[in-house]
Every structure is written in C-alpha cells, then in structure tokens.
Amino acid sequence: MAQNTHDLSAEQWEAMTAEWRGCAYCGAIDRALQKDCVQPVSRGGRYTLGNVVPACGACNASKSNDEVTSWLRRKKLDERAFLIRHHEIGALLTARFAVPDAAG
C-alpha cells in the first residue's frame, strides 16, 4: 500500500459522503460509513477521489477485494444505478476539487 499514492482529503471524504447520502452500494443511511476502494488496493486501486465510495461495514466487508460489478451482481444490487451514480458524483467532485492550472 505504501507504494501507491493515496490522496483523498478529509474535505473530499466529507463532500463525498454528503453527495452519496448513505452507503454507495446498498443505500443504507442508518449506519456508520467506511471508505471503500471501488478498485481494491490489492488490485492496484488507491484511496483517491475517483476510487473511494462510502460503504456501510457490511458491504465493505462483503465486497472485500472483489471486483465491484461482479460483486454487485452476486449480491443482487443495482449495478447500473451504482455505476451511473458513481460517475455523476465523481464528475461533480472532480470539478469541485480541481486544482487550478498554474499556466492559466
């Protein structure tokens, strides 16, 4: 894990949890949320704005280091809805936290 860059800030995590409003996978709103890497660290993922989603402990533990789409299918969760929402929230937060170009 130390070989990878992990740059998710506390401010980004707070904004992400506000946008998702619950577990990114099952939608639970009554549980504590944990940072889950959509692409697991063991498969080259990093703790970054584009790769982390809020997950309840049950989903995070169940997904473990599985590939997200096959795990969603196996759990009978809405794969399409997750992928669309992940893209939408990712684009929103990427724009919000964009680093200004030094040249411009």
Side-chain angles (χ1 to χ4, degrees):
M1 195 156 112
Q3 297 172 344
N4 294 323
T5 302
H6 304 280
D7 61 3
L8 184 71
S9 71
E11 182 182 12
Q12 290 170 333
W13 172 244
E14 186 176 312
M16 184 183 300
T17 58
E19 290 297 329
W20 278 100
R21 294 184 287 255
C23 177
Y25 301 124
C26 73
I29 58 172
D30 60 343
R31 300 177 194 143
L33 298 173
Q34 304 171 354
K35 295 176 183 106
D36 182 59
C37 289
V38 175
Q39 179 179 359
V41 172
S42 65
R43 295 175 184 246
R46 300 177 298 136
Y47 283 90
T48 61
L49 187 60
N51 192 47
V52 170
V53 295
C56 68
C59 283
N60 196 4
S62 173
K63 181 180 159 285
S64 184
N65 69 341
D66 289 347
E67 190 277 324
V68 69
T69 55
S70 58
W71 175 79
L72 287 164
R73 283 183 222 128
R74 190 172 67 250
K75 297 297 282 185
K76 297 186 179 9
L77 294 170
D78 192 338
E79 174 188 358
R80 184 174 190 275
F82 168 78
L83 292 172
I84 289 169
R85 188 102 170 105
H86 183 252
H87 174 75
E88 292 171 345
I89 291 173
L92 176 81
L93 295 178
T94 297
R96 185 182 305 172
F97 291 100
V99 177
D101 185 3

